[in-house]
């Protein structure tokens, strides 16, 4: 599971069906010993923890891996780290790394790899849980209007969601500081001001400012208050949203920056529902990846 966009529409719907079944307390356990490791080279709360919970719910053996105490700090390459884990019996690795397409170097290693986020590239498990949340609300994606607001240029969440939502028949709009958009993004989506966007879309998907990816780009620095006033979801903008429209955010949330603090848990918000769905979506991904390697669940 490297890029959701590489999957067929049929396969995406199948994963969503699996995730929905898990959300209804469907219990499945691995019928044999399966060993998995979560390698997170960037900070994470939701993704890492929900993969851990998903793995344990499926009866998998989770082998602790602490990047800060690993041989990576002695100069070991990512390839050799994964090759080592495979050699000692790990069947599947969930990996988050700052390098885009880090997974390309593992083609000669017979091990299941799940992309937990690759730089500014893709975030397939976040994409699936977002799709699950939208499907629960609207039933289908065809004709749906989704607005992605914020740091699109540096967001793997935006990349994954925009590409797959269009594939499923939704129309994607963008908003935020215009210097955070490249030509490809504008061509493949419609840019609107935040005030116009909130009136148009069924889903307002807010993005965190990726401060850690702006180190060498001083012109992209904004004060929290200025960003919130110009590009954030304020209480006034929430009131202009369509009836039945929902608010989403992959988190972590900067309250008072991309979204007013009082809107994080308002009746439109599905932010914590997304987190809940994250476990079920990741269970579906893990099960599907391991079944492709011949493992069984009952």
């Amino acid at each position: 599971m490297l890029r959701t966009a590489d999957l067929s529409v049929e396969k995406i719907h199948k994963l969503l069906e699996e995730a929905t079944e898990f959300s209804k307390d469907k219990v499945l356990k691995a019928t044999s010993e399966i060993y998995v490791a979560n390698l997170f080279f960037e900070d994470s709360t939701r993704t890492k923890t929900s993969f851990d919970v998903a793995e344990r719910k499926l009866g998998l053996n989770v082998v602790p891996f602490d990047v800060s105490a690993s041989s990576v700090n002695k100069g070991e390459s990512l390839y050799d780290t994964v090759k080592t884990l495979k050699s000692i019996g790990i069947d599947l690795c969930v990996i988050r790394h700052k390098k885009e397409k880090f997974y390309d170097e593992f083609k000669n290693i017979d091990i299941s790899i799940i992309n937990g986020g690759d730089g500014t590239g893709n975030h397939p498990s976040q994409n699936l849980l977002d799709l699950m949340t939208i499907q629960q609300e609207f039933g289908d994606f065809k004709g749906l209007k989704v607005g992605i607001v914020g740091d699109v240029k540096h967001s793997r969440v935006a990349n994954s969601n925009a590409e797959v939502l269009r594939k499923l028949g939704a129309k994607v709009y963008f908003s935020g500081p215009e210097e955070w958009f490249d030509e490809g993004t504008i061509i493949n989506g419609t840019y609107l001001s935040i005030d116009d966007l909130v009136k148009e879309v069924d889903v307002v998907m807010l993005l965190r400012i990726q401060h850690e990816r702006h180190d060498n780009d001083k012109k992209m620095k904004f004060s929290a208050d200025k960003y919130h006033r110009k590009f954030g979801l304020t209480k006034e903008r929430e009131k202009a949203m369509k009836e039945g429209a929902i608010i989403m955010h992959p988190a972590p949330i900067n309250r008072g920056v991309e979204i007013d603090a009082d809107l994080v848990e308002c009746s439109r918000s599905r932010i914590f529902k997304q987190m809940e769905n994250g476990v079920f979506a990741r269970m579906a991904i893990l099960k599907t990846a391991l079944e492709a390697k011949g493992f069984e669940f009952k």
Side-chain angles (χ1 to χ4, degrees), residues 226-241:
K226 181 180 179 182
Y227 184 90
H228 186 63
R229 283 186 284 106
K230 291 190 68 174
F231 308 109
L233 186 62
T234 61
K235 291 178 183 177
E236 291 74 19
R237 289 178 179 131
E238 182 272 330
K239 290 175 184 175
M241 289 173 63

Side-chain angles (χ1 to χ4, degrees), residues 88-139:
I88 62 178
I90 299 297
D91 300 295
L92 178 147
C93 288
V94 179
I95 303 176
R96 170 174 289 187
H97 201 277
K98 65 181 179 181
K99 180 182 177 182
E100 287 187 34
K101 297 184 179 180
F102 64 81
Y103 41 79
D104 282 350
E105 61 187 276
F106 306 140
K107 292 175 181 177
N108 296 322
I109 306 177
D110 184 23
I111 189 170
S112 292
I113 298 291
I114 293 176
N115 180 5
D118 63 306
T120 60
N122 284 270
H123 197 345
S125 65
Q126 179 71 44
N127 179 210
L128 192 68
L129 73 89
D130 287 344
L131 294 176
M132 182 180 180
T133 305
I134 293 170
Q135 187 181 63
Q136 288 171 339
E137 199 72 28
F138 300 101

